[in-house]
Amino acid sequence: MSFFKKLFLSKQKEFQKAEVLIQEQSPSCPITAIVEQDNRVVYFYLWGDDKTNFGVKSCWVRNLKKAPEKLEEKLMNKGIPPMLPEQFCKFKDGQEKLNGNELKIIWTEEGDSASLLFKNEIIAIIPSWGGQNGFYGYARDCIGQGNFAWELKESNALLDRIKKSEQYWNAWNNELNPFQVQQPLILNSYDETFGKHDKYYAIDGNEWPPKGLYLRKGESKTIFATVGLSIIPMPTVEMYTENRFDLNRIELGFILDSVFSDKEIQEMAEWISGQSSIPWKSITFLGEGHTINFKPFNSKTFNSVLLTNKLDILPKPELEDFRDSKINFLWMVPISEKERKEIMNEGSDSVIQKLNKIGEEIFSLQREETI
């Protein structure tokens, strides 16, 4: 277990004695930003909910006393936040204490990373990849690659990203917020691709962020499609791809044969609503080839869905890019446990090929397994 996890999990009493200058919840993820100050040092933390795998991320901000020559390993072993060694400090004699009233936190649009501002100047950033491979975050008052922070240079691309994120969050206070702008555009795309919707559900439970569900109940097929998931980019994507703009926004769809009652359709709508929160609630992302547990209607054969837009028979709505990101529309296709295991072991391509061969049978929960 790392020192910083010990600090929160094993030294909670010490944490409570420390001065918390500012504490703020992420707007979209179960992550809390905390700035803690004692008589020696200031640290910036991102603390994930215990139900997630996010853990605790940290970044040194400033020393308040003369910097030590070497790493304070003995203090670390006791769970005491260490000062940064002098070779990495711009201010080797320490700096004045921070005033919580002069601090501000700005979250990235994904909600899994944050920056700390002092008098409206960015002084620390913990990006989504913080806490990996000995990297913690960036700090204005650090020099080079320190033990608990790296130098925040003027050329760092995150500085511009934070400014754009602040503009994005401020836009939610506008009379015409991002959802109000995007919702009619997405609905119009669905109406053009699938046909005019019969119903539109709000599936946000009157909580932010707003999101809805398109429903078209045709003579042979019932189509569901989410509206608004793409307005907030998914967290952690950039840890797995070079270009987050290719994968970080999604909408989800489901097609079934029109053999279900209104009650069952409502059950399906509620299930889709629940799945639509997975990326942010679990601090993860959903993409092509991923699978999700599936339990509506007590199906004995199908217990998962495959997320894909590669099946030939499925319509492909064209959604315009949003804030430089592609919006990926992913269909939720019911699959069996055997099919899911094949995907886990060999990837989704072979199952997709088999599903393509059976054609319209994929819309029925009574179909046979492909293997």
Side-chain angles (χ1 to χ4, degrees):
M1 182 180 293
S2 72
F3 152 72
F4 292 105
K5 287 184 178 179
K6 288 181 181 179
L7 174 63
F8 278 91
L9 302 179
S10 302
K11 300 289 184 178
Q12 290 185 358
K13 291 184 179 180
E14 291 184 18
F15 171 75
Q16 292 169 356
K17 292 178 182 178
E19 180 185 10
V20 176
L21 299 180
I22 187 172
Q23 180 170 324
E24 184 177 305
Q25 180 76 27
S26 166
S28 56
C29 296
I31 302 171
T32 303
I34 299 171
V35 178
E36 177 192 311
Q37 176 174 259
D38 57 24
N39 291 323
R40 306 170 65 255
V41 67
V42 181
Y43 272 88
F44 180 32
Y45 300 96
L46 295 183
W47 192 6
D49 187 274
D50 291 341
K51 296 179 181 179
T52 72
N53 294 321
F54 187 85
V56 178
K57 298 186 179 185
S58 61
C59 182
W60 172 91
V61 177
R62 60 169 52 176
N63 289 344
L64 304 178
K65 293 186 177 182
K66 181 177 175 59
E69 294 182 3
K70 298 181 180 179
L71 187 63
E72 299 177 315
E73 294 184 5
K74 290 184 179 179
L75 293 181
M76 291 173 59
N77 291 333
K78 294 179 180 180
I80 298 175
M83 291 194 288
L84 195 66
E86 63 177 2
Q87 71 180 101
F88 302 114
C89 294
K90 287 183 180 179
F91 302 91
K92 301 184 187 304
D93 292 328
Q95 295 171 267
E96 64 181 0
K97 281 193 169 186
L98 294 175
N99 184 334
N101 294 327
E102 296 177 307
L103 298 179
K104 180 180 180 180
I105 291 170
I106 298 178
W107 296 87
T108 57
E109 295 181 38
E110 294 82 357
D112 63 342
S113 310
S115 61
L116 176 65
L117 281 68
F118 175 58
K119 296 181 178 180
N120 291 319
E121 180 182 353
I122 298 174
I123 61 172
I125 302 175
I126 301 180
S128 61
W129 57 92
Q132 303 289 322
N133 301 317
F135 169 76
Y136 291 89
Y138 298 100
R140 181 197 64 182
D141 298 331
C142 176
I143 297 174
Q145 297 182 4
N147 305 89
F148 313 116
W150 287 8
E151 182 177 355
L152 180 58
K153 299 180 180 180
E154 293 183 1
S155 59
N156 194 310
L158 284 170
L159 294 174
D160 182 60
R161 181 171 171 183
I162 293 299
K163 291 179 181 179
K164 291 180 178 178
S165 295
E166 184 176 27
Q167 294 170 356
Y168 170 78
W169 293 122
N170 288 339
W172 284 97
N173 297 320
N174 295 342
E175 185 175 344
L176 195 62
N177 65 45
F179 181 78
Q180 292 168 324
V181 172
Q182 285 295 103
Q183 185 222 37
L185 298 178
I186 296 172
L187 268 178
N188 183 62
S189 176
Y190 293 165
D191 286 344
E192 290 182 352
T193 305
F194 311 137
K196 183 68 177 177
H197 60 281
D198 299 309
K199 290 184 179 181
Y200 174 82
Y201 299 93
I203 58 172
D204 49 46
N206 293 319
E207 295 182 356
W208 191 92
K211 53 187 175 182
L213 188 67
Y214 161 106
L215 173 64
R216 176 174 172 78
K217 189 174 182 181
E219 292 184 3
S220 61
K221 301 290 183 293
T222 298
I223 303 176
F224 305 83
T226 61
V227 179
L229 270 61
S230 57
I231 296 173
I232 300 178
M234 294 181 292
T236 73
V237 171
E238 59 199 311
M239 296 175 65
Y240 302 94
T241 181
E242 292 184 2
N243 187 0
R244 70 182 191 279
F245 297 114
D246 288 340
L247 299 174
N248 65 359
R249 299 186 193 271
I250 60 167
E251 298 289 350
L252 300 173
F254 210 120
I255 301 182
L256 290 173
D257 286 339
S258 293
V259 295
F260 299 101
S261 66
D262 289 343
K263 181 180 178 181
E264 289 173 323
I265 289 176
Q266 180 64 34
E267 180 183 345
M268 177 61 72
E270 292 174 356
W271 179 80
I272 294 173
S273 172
Q275 310 319 298
S276 70
S277 299
I278 286 177
W280 300 274
K281 186 176 181 180
S282 300
I283 317 177
T284 185
F285 74 100
L286 298 175
E288 175 69 41
H290 290 187
T291 61
I292 300 175
N293 292 337
F294 176 63
K295 294 183 179 179
F297 314 137
N298 297 315
S299 172
K300 295 181 180 179
T301 304
F302 304 105
N303 59 7
S304 300
V305 292
L306 167 66
L307 303 184
T308 185
N309 199 18
K310 291 184 176 181
L311 287 175
D312 298 335
I313 197 170
L314 295 174
K316 295 175 173 55
E318 295 184 5
L319 301 173
E320 295 184 5
D321 292 357
F322 180 59
R323 294 184 65 79
D324 300 321
S325 288
K326 176 183 178 182
I327 298 178
N328 295 281
F329 189 91
L330 298 172
W331 290 104
M332 309 168 84
V333 180
I335 56 173
S336 68
E337 179 62 18
K338 288 183 179 179
E339 291 165 336
R340 188 192 71 84
K341 287 182 178 179
E342 181 176 346
I343 291 170
M344 298 294 290
N345 293 330
E346 303 178 21
S348 61
D349 288 348
S350 62
V351 170
I352 288 174
Q353 290 177 1
K354 295 170 185 176
L355 291 173
N356 267 324
K357 291 181 180 179
I358 67 174
E360 290 203 7
E361 287 186 41
I362 65 169
F363 303 131
S364 172
L365 292 181
Q366 307 303 318
R367 73 170 175 85
E368 299 292 330
E369 292 178 301
T370 59
I371 54 176

mmCIF file of all heavy atoms in Angstrom, residues 202-229:
data_model
loop_
_atom_site.group_PDB
_atom_site.id
_atom_site.type_symbol
_atom_site.label_atom_id
_atom_site.label_comp_id
_atom_site.label_asym_id
_atom_site.label_seq_id
_atom_site.Cartn_x
_atom_site.Cartn_y
_atom_site.Cartn_z
ATOM 1 N N ALA A 202 -37.375 11.437 -19.781
ATOM 2 C CA ALA A 202 -36.246 11.964 -19.009
ATOM 3 C C ALA A 202 -35.755 10.825 -18.130
ATOM 4 O O ALA A 202 -36.549 10.206 -17.421
ATOM 5 C CB ALA A 202 -36.673 13.151 -18.168
ATOM 6 N N ILE A 203 -34.476 10.506 -18.184
ATOM 7 C CA ILE A 203 -33.949 9.369 -17.426
ATOM 8 C C ILE A 203 -32.879 9.813 -16.432
ATOM 9 O O ILE A 203 -32.021 9.021 -16.035
ATOM 10 C CB ILE A 203 -33.384 8.274 -18.354
ATOM 11 C CG1 ILE A 203 -32.266 8.823 -19.257
ATOM 12 C CG2 ILE A 203 -34.496 7.661 -19.187
ATOM 13 C CD1 ILE A 203 -31.538 7.740 -20.046
ATOM 14 N N ASP A 204 -32.926 11.077 -16.042
ATOM 15 C CA ASP A 204 -31.925 11.595 -15.121
ATOM 16 C C ASP A 204 -32.397 11.620 -13.674
ATOM 17 O O ASP A 204 -31.643 12.004 -12.777
ATOM 18 C CB ASP A 204 -31.480 12.998 -15.532
ATOM 19 C CG ASP A 204 -32.664 13.917 -15.804
ATOM 20 O OD1 ASP A 204 -33.597 13.929 -14.986
ATOM 21 O OD2 ASP A 204 -32.656 14.610 -16.842
ATOM 22 N N GLY A 205 -33.666 11.218 -13.431
ATOM 23 C CA GLY A 205 -34.181 11.224 -12.060
ATOM 24 C C GLY A 205 -34.176 12.594 -11.431
ATOM 25 O O GLY A 205 -34.027 12.727 -10.205
ATOM 26 N N ASN A 206 -34.323 13.621 -12.270
ATOM 27 C CA ASN A 206 -34.315 15.016 -11.801
ATOM 28 C C ASN A 206 -32.992 15.403 -11.150
ATOM 29 O O ASN A 206 -32.947 16.305 -10.306
ATOM 30 C CB ASN A 206 -35.467 15.262 -10.819
ATOM 31 C CG ASN A 206 -36.824 15.166 -11.492
ATOM 32 O OD1 ASN A 206 -37.010 15.638 -12.614
ATOM 33 N ND2 ASN A 206 -37.779 14.534 -10.816
ATOM 34 N N GLU A 207 -31.935 14.711 -11.531
ATOM 35 C CA GLU A 207 -30.607 15.044 -11.045
ATOM 36 C C GLU A 207 -29.714 15.425 -12.220
ATOM 37 O O GLU A 207 -29.909 14.976 -13.346
ATOM 38 C CB GLU A 207 -29.987 13.857 -10.291
ATOM 39 C CG GLU A 207 -30.727 13.479 -9.013
ATOM 40 C CD GLU A 207 -30.052 12.342 -8.277
ATOM 41 O OE1 GLU A 207 -29.049 11.810 -8.803
ATOM 42 O OE2 GLU A 207 -30.521 11.978 -7.183
ATOM 43 N N TRP A 208 -28.718 16.262 -11.913
ATOM 44 C CA TRP A 208 -27.747 16.625 -12.945
ATOM 45 C C TRP A 208 -26.761 15.473 -13.137
ATOM 46 O O TRP A 208 -26.408 14.811 -12.163
ATOM 47 C CB TRP A 208 -26.984 17.887 -12.510
ATOM 48 C CG TRP A 208 -26.171 18.480 -13.600
ATOM 49 C CD1 TRP A 208 -26.548 19.446 -14.490
ATOM 50 C CD2 TRP A 208 -24.831 18.120 -13.954
ATOM 51 N NE1 TRP A 208 -25.529 19.710 -15.359
ATOM 52 C CE2 TRP A 208 -24.459 18.912 -15.057
ATOM 53 C CE3 TRP A 208 -23.902 17.207 -13.456
ATOM 54 C CZ2 TRP A 208 -23.210 18.825 -15.657
ATOM 55 C CZ3 TRP A 208 -22.661 17.104 -14.050
ATOM 56 C CH2 TRP A 208 -22.322 17.906 -15.139
ATOM 57 N N PRO A 209 -26.309 15.176 -14.360
ATOM 58 C CA PRO A 209 -26.603 15.882 -15.604
ATOM 59 C C PRO A 209 -27.903 15.409 -16.245
ATOM 60 O O PRO A 209 -28.312 14.257 -16.062
ATOM 61 C CB PRO A 209 -25.410 15.516 -16.489
ATOM 62 C CG PRO A 209 -25.022 14.142 -16.031
ATOM 63 C CD PRO A 209 -25.264 14.134 -14.542
ATOM 64 N N PRO A 210 -28.549 16.271 -17.013
ATOM 65 C CA PRO A 210 -29.782 15.866 -17.682
ATOM 66 C C PRO A 210 -29.502 14.868 -18.796
ATOM 67 O O PRO A 210 -28.469 14.932 -19.456
ATOM 68 C CB PRO A 210 -30.322 17.192 -18.245
ATOM 69 C CG PRO A 210 -29.108 18.044 -18.418
ATOM 70 C CD PRO A 210 -28.178 17.666 -17.302
ATOM 71 N N LYS A 211 -30.415 13.933 -18.992
ATOM 72 C CA LYS A 211 -30.310 12.981 -20.100
ATOM 73 C C LYS A 211 -31.683 12.392 -20.361
ATOM 74 O O LYS A 211 -32.547 12.373 -19.479
ATOM 75 C CB LYS A 211 -29.296 11.874 -19.800
ATOM 76 C CG LYS A 211 -29.510 11.147 -18.482
ATOM 77 C CD LYS A 211 -28.357 10.193 -18.180
ATOM 78 C CE LYS A 211 -28.521 9.565 -16.809
ATOM 79 N NZ LYS A 211 -27.388 8.665 -16.473
ATOM 80 N N GLY A 212 -31.886 11.938 -21.590
ATOM 81 C CA GLY A 212 -33.184 11.420 -21.972
ATOM 82 C C GLY A 212 -33.076 10.132 -22.763
ATOM 83 O O GLY A 212 -31.977 9.622 -23.026
ATOM 84 N N LEU A 213 -34.247 9.610 -23.140
ATOM 85 C CA LEU A 213 -34.304 8.353 -23.886
ATOM 86 C C LEU A 213 -35.338 8.462 -24.996
ATOM 87 O O LEU A 213 -36.512 8.743 -24.741
ATOM 88 C CB LEU A 213 -34.661 7.196 -22.959
ATOM 89 C CG LEU A 213 -34.584 5.789 -23.554
ATOM 90 C CD1 LEU A 213 -33.132 5.426 -23.881
ATOM 91 C CD2 LEU A 213 -35.163 4.758 -22.595
ATOM 92 N N TYR A 214 -34.884 8.273 -26.216
ATOM 93 C CA TYR A 214 -35.741 8.210 -27.401
ATOM 94 C C TYR A 214 -36.399 6.832 -27.463
ATOM 95 O O TYR A 214 -35.755 5.817 -27.185
ATOM 96 C CB TYR A 214 -34.869 8.453 -28.635
ATOM 97 C CG TYR A 214 -35.431 7.994 -29.970
ATOM 98 C CD1 TYR A 214 -35.921 8.913 -30.887
ATOM 99 C CD2 TYR A 214 -35.421 6.642 -30.325
ATOM 100 C CE1 TYR A 214 -36.394 8.494 -32.125
ATOM 101 C CE2 TYR A 214 -35.907 6.222 -31.553
ATOM 102 C CZ TYR A 214 -36.385 7.149 -32.444
ATOM 103 O OH TYR A 214 -36.859 6.735 -33.666
ATOM 104 N N LEU A 215 -37.682 6.778 -27.826
ATOM 105 C CA LEU A 215 -38.379 5.496 -27.989
ATOM 106 C C LEU A 215 -39.238 5.531 -29.241
ATOM 107 O O LEU A 215 -40.047 6.438 -29.432
ATOM 108 C CB LEU A 215 -39.268 5.198 -26.785
ATOM 109 C CG LEU A 215 -40.177 3.960 -26.912
ATOM 110 C CD1 LEU A 215 -39.354 2.684 -27.018
ATOM 111 C CD2 LEU A 215 -41.154 3.874 -25.747
ATOM 112 N N ARG A 216 -39.049 4.542 -30.089
ATOM 113 C CA ARG A 216 -39.924 4.352 -31.247
ATOM 114 C C ARG A 216 -40.414 2.914 -31.218
ATOM 115 O O ARG A 216 -39.628 1.965 -31.309
ATOM 116 C CB ARG A 216 -39.208 4.629 -32.562
ATOM 117 C CG ARG A 216 -40.088 4.338 -33.776
ATOM 118 C CD ARG A 216 -39.418 4.752 -35.071
ATOM 119 N NE ARG A 216 -40.171 4.316 -36.243
ATOM 120 C CZ ARG A 216 -41.262 4.905 -36.716
ATOM 121 N NH1 ARG A 216 -41.734 5.991 -36.122
ATOM 122 N NH2 ARG A 216 -41.873 4.441 -37.784
ATOM 123 N N LYS A 217 -41.726 2.753 -31.083
ATOM 124 C CA LYS A 217 -42.318 1.426 -31.038
ATOM 125 C C LYS A 217 -42.986 1.155 -32.382
ATOM 126 O O LYS A 217 -44.130 1.519 -32.631
ATOM 127 C CB LYS A 217 -43.332 1.324 -29.896
ATOM 128 C CG LYS A 217 -43.834 -0.086 -29.657
ATOM 129 C CD LYS A 217 -44.728 -0.166 -28.438
ATOM 130 C CE LYS A 217 -45.185 -1.611 -28.197
ATOM 131 N NZ LYS A 217 -46.081 -1.715 -27.022
ATOM 132 N N GLY A 218 -42.226 0.496 -33.276
ATOM 133 C CA GLY A 218 -42.750 0.188 -34.597
ATOM 134 C C GLY A 218 -43.528 -1.117 -34.605
ATOM 135 O O GLY A 218 -43.647 -1.808 -33.588
ATOM 136 N N GLU A 219 -44.037 -1.460 -35.764
ATOM 137 C CA GLU A 219 -44.822 -2.692 -35.870
ATOM 138 C C GLU A 219 -43.981 -3.930 -35.620
ATOM 139 O O GLU A 219 -44.463 -4.919 -35.055
ATOM 140 C CB GLU A 219 -45.457 -2.770 -37.264
ATOM 141 C CG GLU A 219 -46.533 -1.718 -37.502
ATOM 142 C CD GLU A 219 -47.203 -1.900 -38.846
ATOM 143 O OE1 GLU A 219 -46.865 -2.881 -39.549
ATOM 144 O OE2 GLU A 219 -48.046 -1.067 -39.210
ATOM 145 N N SER A 220 -42.722 -3.879 -36.024
ATOM 146 C CA SER A 220 -41.877 -5.069 -35.872
ATOM 147 C C SER A 220 -40.705 -4.861 -34.917
ATOM 148 O O SER A 220 -40.198 -5.823 -34.340
ATOM 149 C CB SER A 220 -41.328 -5.506 -37.231
ATOM 150 O OG SER A 220 -40.527 -4.481 -37.805
ATOM 151 N N LYS A 221 -40.254 -3.615 -34.747
ATOM 152 C CA LYS A 221 -39.084 -3.359 -33.914
ATOM 153 C C LYS A 221 -39.353 -2.186 -32.962
ATOM 154 O O LYS A 221 -40.010 -1.213 -33.324
ATOM 155 C CB LYS A 221 -37.859 -3.016 -34.782
ATOM 156 C CG LYS A 221 -37.458 -4.103 -35.768
ATOM 157 C CD LYS A 221 -36.889 -5.305 -35.056
ATOM 158 C CE LYS A 221 -36.422 -6.359 -36.044
ATOM 159 N NZ LYS A 221 -37.544 -6.967 -36.793
ATOM 160 N N THR A 222 -38.828 -2.313 -31.739
ATOM 161 C CA THR A 222 -38.858 -1.231 -30.761
ATOM 162 C C THR A 222 -37.432 -0.739 -30.557
ATOM 163 O O THR A 222 -36.525 -1.530 -30.304
ATOM 164 C CB THR A 222 -39.441 -1.705 -29.416
ATOM 165 O OG1 THR A 222 -40.787 -2.138 -29.627
ATOM 166 C CG2 THR A 222 -39.424 -0.578 -28.391
ATOM 167 N N ILE A 223 -37.258 0.563 -30.709
ATOM 168 C CA ILE A 223 -35.920 1.148 -30.657
ATOM 169 C C ILE A 223 -35.811 2.111 -29.473
ATOM 170 O O ILE A 223 -36.656 2.986 -29.288
ATOM 171 C CB ILE A 223 -35.593 1.904 -31.960
ATOM 172 C CG1 ILE A 223 -35.730 0.972 -33.171
ATOM 173 C CG2 ILE A 223 -34.184 2.492 -31.896
ATOM 174 C CD1 ILE A 223 -35.517 1.662 -34.493
ATOM 175 N N PHE A 224 -34.756 1.929 -28.698
ATOM 176 C CA PHE A 224 -34.414 2.837 -27.609
ATOM 177 C C PHE A 224 -33.072 3.496 -27.952
ATOM 178 O O PHE A 224 -32.187 2.838 -28.498
ATOM 179 C CB PHE A 224 -34.236 2.098 -26.282
ATOM 180 C CG PHE A 224 -35.399 1.244 -25.860
ATOM 181 C CD1 PHE A 224 -35.564 -0.047 -26.361
ATOM 182 C CD2 PHE A 224 -36.310 1.711 -24.925
ATOM 183 C CE1 PHE A 224 -36.609 -0.851 -25.948
ATOM 184 C CE2 PHE A 224 -37.368 0.919 -24.499
ATOM 185 C CZ PHE A 224 -37.526 -0.357 -25.016
ATOM 186 N N ALA A 225 -32.905 4.773 -27.600
ATOM 187 C CA ALA A 225 -31.613 5.429 -27.797
ATOM 188 C C ALA A 225 -31.455 6.556 -26.781
ATOM 189 O O ALA A 225 -32.377 7.351 -26.578
ATOM 190 C CB ALA A 225 -31.487 5.983 -29.216
ATOM 191 N N THR A 226 -30.306 6.601 -26.141
ATOM 192 C CA THR A 226 -30.063 7.633 -25.139
ATOM 193 C C THR A 226 -29.842 8.991 -25.797
ATOM 194 O O THR A 226 -29.371 9.089 -26.930
ATOM 195 C CB THR A 226 -28.842 7.301 -24.271
ATOM 196 O OG1 THR A 226 -27.676 7.217 -25.112
ATOM 197 C CG2 THR A 226 -29.042 5.985 -23.543
ATOM 198 N N VAL A 227 -30.168 10.022 -25.050
ATOM 199 C CA VAL A 227 -30.012 11.400 -25.536
ATOM 200 C C VAL A 227 -29.286 12.211 -24.474
ATOM 201 O O VAL A 227 -29.831 12.480 -23.404
ATOM 202 C CB VAL A 227 -31.378 12.045 -25.832
ATOM 203 C CG1 VAL A 227 -31.186 13.484 -26.314
ATOM 204 C CG2 VAL A 227 -32.160 11.237 -26.855
ATOM 205 N N GLY A 228 -28.035 12.548 -24.728
ATOM 206 C CA GLY A 228 -27.319 13.447 -23.835
ATOM 207 C C GLY A 228 -26.138 12.869 -23.097
ATOM 208 O O GLY A 228 -25.401 13.619 -22.447
ATOM 209 N N LEU A 229 -25.903 11.553 -23.183
ATOM 210 C CA LEU A 229 -24.723 10.997 -22.530
ATOM 211 C C LEU A 229 -23.450 11.652 -23.065
ATOM 212 O O LEU A 229 -22.490 11.880 -22.338
ATOM 213 C CB LEU A 229 -24.628 9.482 -22.768
ATOM 214 C CG LEU A 229 -25.311 8.556 -21.763
ATOM 215 C CD1 LEU A 229 -26.816 8.813 -21.717
ATOM 216 C CD2 LEU A 229 -25.023 7.108 -22.092
#
